Amino acid sequence: MAPVKVFGSAGFTNVARVLVCLEEVGVEYEVVDIDFLAKEQKKPEHLARNPFGEIPAFQDGDLMLFESRAIGKYILRKYRTDEVDMLRESNPGEAAMVDVWTEVQANQYNKALAPIVYECIIYPTAYGIPTNQKVVDESMEKLKKVLDVYEARLSKHKYLAGNFISFADLNHFAFTCCFMGTPYASLFDSFPCVKAWWKNLMSRPSTRKLSANLPKMV
Amino acid sequence: MAPVKVFGSAGFTNVARVLVCLEEVGVEYEVVDIDFLAKEQKKPEHLARNPFGEIPAFQDGDLMLFESRAIGKYILRKYRTDEVDMLRESNPGEAAMVDVWTEVQANQYNKALAPIVYECIIYPTAYGIPTNQKVVDESMEKLKKVLDVYEARLSKHKYLAGNFISFADLNHFAFTCCFMGTPYASLFDSFPCVKAWWKNLMSRPSTRKLSANLPKMV
C-alpha cells in the first residue's frame, strides 16, 4: 500500500504535530515538501488540498485532510491499538480530559508560548525581522500563569489528561521543543512537575527523532 | 438523577456552544449563572471548576470539565444515539471531516467573524466601548474570503462535514446568530449556499430556542 502523504516541511511546528502522531502509531509516511517562502501553499495544486492555502495537508488514499489537529486525531483514531490509544474515545470521561487539555494547549499554552518562539526564532531566521522584546516579556508573564496551572495539574497526574499519555501531551511537543532553544528555557526550572513531564515526553523515540528538524536560534 | 450543570450565563457564545449540544441530545440541564462583569469567574469557587477562570464549566456527577468545545464533544459522545450522532467517531473518514470543519470554525471562520460581533455588539453593550470601524472593515474582508471557501464546500455538501449535520455545524451557531443582528448580515446574501445552510441550521428547535438568549444590538 502506498504510504500516507504529509504535505508541508518537517521543520514547521504544525507539520510536526502530524508527524509525531504518525511516529507514535508506527505508520509509514512520505513528507512532500511545500516551499513556504515561495508561497507554494497558495498555488492551485495546494489549494486543492487545503482551500485556505495553509500547511499541512494530508492524504490517505482518496481522503484529503487539512488542519493539523484534525489530521492528528484521524491518525490516532484510525491506527488505534490497545497499546497506542491516545484519544481514549471508548471512555467518555477519559476522552473528555484529552479534549480539555488539547483545547488548553491551543487556547492557553500556545497563545502564551508561541509568540516567544516566533519572536526569538522564526521571525529573525526566516524573515530577518528582529525580536520584539515587549511581546516576549508580555508572553513570558502569561506563560508563567499558564505553567502555574500546569504545575498543579501535573503534580497530581503523570500526563495532562490523566495517568496515560495522550494527544493532549503530543500537541505540546513542537512549540515547546523550539522554546527550549530560546534564552527563556530556564523558566521551566521553576516548575518541577512540568519539567519532569517535558523530560519524559522528550524521552520518546518519536519526539527525539523529530526534534532534529525543528527550527533553532542562529 | 440530578441534571448536569452548566456554569456560565446563557447569553455568552461559548456557553451557548455547550447548550446547543445539550438541546440536540435532549438531556436535562441546569444553568448556574456566573456574574462575569463582577468577575465571579475569577473567584476560588469557580477556579476550582476551571483553573483558568473562564466560562463555561460543566459538571456531570464527579466529572468537572471546562473548554466549551471539549464539553460539547463530551455531551455528543456520551449521549450519542443512531439518530443523533454528531461526531461520527465510528467512521474515521467522517469523524475526520467533522474535526476538520470544527477546526476551521475556530481557526478561520471565527477569527474573521467574531471581531465584528465584539465591535458591534459586545464591547458597546457590555463595556460602553465604541465600535472600532477599522477592525470591522478588516474582519469583513477576511470573512468574505472565508465564505468563498464555505460557498464552494456547501455547494457540494448539505452540511460542512458532509451530508449529515455534525458538531462542526453546531459550532457556528452562537457567533453567527449574533452576527446576523449587526448591520453586516446582508453579506450572506452574496453566498446562496451558505445562506441556505444557515437558514436550515436556524430551523432546528435547539437553535430557535437558544437564539433568544444571545446578545443583540441596542
Side-chain angles (χ1 to χ4, degrees):
Chain A
M1 202 172 72
V4 298
K5 286 183 186 174
V6 180
F7 298 88
S9 306
F12 283 79
T13 51
N14 284 347
V15 177
R17 173 179 286 121
V18 171
L19 300 183
V20 75
C21 294
L22 287 163
E23 291 286 341
E24 287 287 339
V25 297
V27 168
E28 192 189 354
Y29 61 88
E30 177 189 348
V31 176
V32 181
D33 275 337
I34 301 289
D35 189 340
F36 197 82
L37 291 179
K39 300 206 172 191
E40 199 181 336
Q41 75 278 11
K42 300 294 184 191
K43 293 187 176 160
E45 196 173 350
H46 190 72
L47 287 171
R49 300 177 194 123
N50 177 348
F52 294 101
E54 296 178 355
I55 59 164
F58 175 83
Q59 187 174 14
D60 183 3
D62 292 337
L63 187 70
M64 184 70 76
L65 301 176
F66 55 98
E67 287 286 348
S68 61
R69 287 179 180 81
I71 299 168
K73 286 183 188 176
Y74 170 78
I75 293 162
L76 296 177
R77 190 180 289 126
K78 179 167 176 185
Y79 299 103
R80 188 194 71 78
T81 64
D82 288 346
E83 289 72 42
V84 185
D85 182 4
M86 297 224 184
L87 298 176
R88 302 262 164 169
E89 287 173 350
S90 60
N91 179 323
E94 289 183 348
M97 297 317 290
V98 175
D99 284 336
V100 166
W101 289 93
T102 297
E103 294 291 331
V104 167
Q105 189 275 336
N107 300 329
Q108 305 285 351
Y109 185 93
N110 227 39
K111 278 190 182 160
L113 184 141
I116 303 167
V117 172
Y118 276 102
E119 292 294 340
C120 293
I121 302 180
I122 298 173
Y123 294 155
T125 58
Y127 304 101
I129 299 170
T131 300
N132 181 333
Q133 194 59 41
K134 186 165 176 284
V135 172
V136 173
D137 294 345
E138 287 170 0
S139 299
M140 281 291 281
E141 287 309 305
K142 285 184 199 165
L143 184 57
K144 280 177 200 167
K145 288 177 187 161
V146 171
L147 291 183
D148 277 335
V149 176
Y150 273 57
E151 184 69 11
R153 177 75 187 165
L154 292 165
S155 71
K156 292 181 192 148
H157 305 277
K158 190 173 176 191
Y159 295 101
L160 287 169
N163 289 320
F164 53 90
I165 189 162
S166 78
F167 183 57
D169 304 295
L170 294 187
N171 260 320
H172 290 72
F173 154 64
F175 265 107
T176 309
C177 193
C178 295
F179 177 83
M180 290 302 175
T182 73
Y184 303 96
S186 63
L187 175 66
F188 275 54
D189 294 342
S190 309
F191 302 93
C193 295
V194 178
K195 195 167 181 181
W197 161 81
W198 175 247
K199 197 176 162 190
N200 181 17
L201 198 58
M202 283 306 289
S203 71
R204 301 180 75 80
S206 65
T207 53
R208 277 208 308 270
K209 175 177 173 180
L210 295 169
S211 63
N213 303 321
L214 291 170
K216 289 167 188 63
M217 285 185 82
V218 286
Chain B
M1 203 173 70
V4 299
K5 285 183 185 173
V6 179
F7 298 89
S9 306
F12 283 80
T13 52
N14 285 347
V15 177
R17 173 178 286 123
V18 171
L19 300 183
V20 74
C21 294
L22 287 163
E23 290 287 341
E24 286 287 339
V25 297
V27 168
E28 192 189 354
Y29 60 89
E30 177 189 348
V31 175
V32 181
D33 275 337
I34 301 290
D35 189 339
F36 197 82
L37 291 179
K39 300 206 173 189
E40 199 181 337
Q41 74 279 11
K42 300 294 185 192
K43 294 186 177 162
E45 195 173 350
H46 190 72
L47 287 171
R49 300 177 194 121
N50 177 348
F52 294 101
E54 296 179 354
I55 60 166
F58 175 83
Q59 187 175 15
D60 183 3
D62 292 337
L63 186 71
M64 184 71 77
L65 301 177
F66 55 99
E67 287 286 349
S68 61
R69 288 180 181 81
I71 299 167
K73 285 184 188 175
Y74 170 78
I75 293 162
L76 296 177
R77 190 179 289 127
K78 180 168 174 183
Y79 299 102
R80 188 194 70 79
T81 63
D82 288 345
E83 290 72 40
V84 186
D85 181 4
M86 298 223 185
L87 299 176
R88 303 263 163 165
E89 287 173 350
S90 60
N91 180 324
E94 290 182 348
M97 296 317 290
V98 176
D99 285 336
V100 166
W101 289 93
T102 297
E103 294 291 331
V104 167
Q105 189 274 336
N107 300 329
Q108 305 284 350
Y109 185 93
N110 227 40
K111 277 190 183 161
L113 183 140
I116 303 167
V117 172
Y118 276 103
E119 292 294 340
C120 293
I121 302 181
I122 298 174
Y123 293 155
T125 58
Y127 304 100
I129 299 170
T131 300
N132 181 333
Q133 194 59 40
K134 186 165 175 284
V135 172
V136 172
D137 294 345
E138 287 170 359
S139 299
M140 282 291 282
E141 287 309 305
K142 285 185 199 166
L143 184 56
K144 279 177 202 168
K145 288 178 188 161
V146 172
L147 291 182
D148 277 335
V149 177
Y150 273 57
E151 184 69 12
R153 177 75 185 164
L154 292 166
S155 71
K156 292 183 193 150
H157 304 277
K158 190 173 176 191
Y159 296 101
L160 287 168
N163 289 319
F164 53 91
I165 188 162
S166 77
F167 183 56
D169 304 295
L170 295 187
N171 260 320
H172 291 72
F173 155 64
F175 265 106
T176 310
C177 192
C178 294
F179 177 83
M180 289 302 174
T182 73
Y184 303 96
S186 63
L187 175 65
F188 275 55
D189 294 343
S190 309
F191 302 93
C193 296
V194 178
K195 196 168 183 181
W197 162 80
W198 175 246
K199 196 176 163 192
N200 182 16
L201 198 58
M202 283 307 289
S203 71
R204 301 180 75 81
S206 64
T207 52
R208 278 208 307 271
K209 175 176 172 180
L210 295 169
S211 63
N213 303 320
L214 291 170
K216 290 167 188 62
M217 286 185 82
V218 288

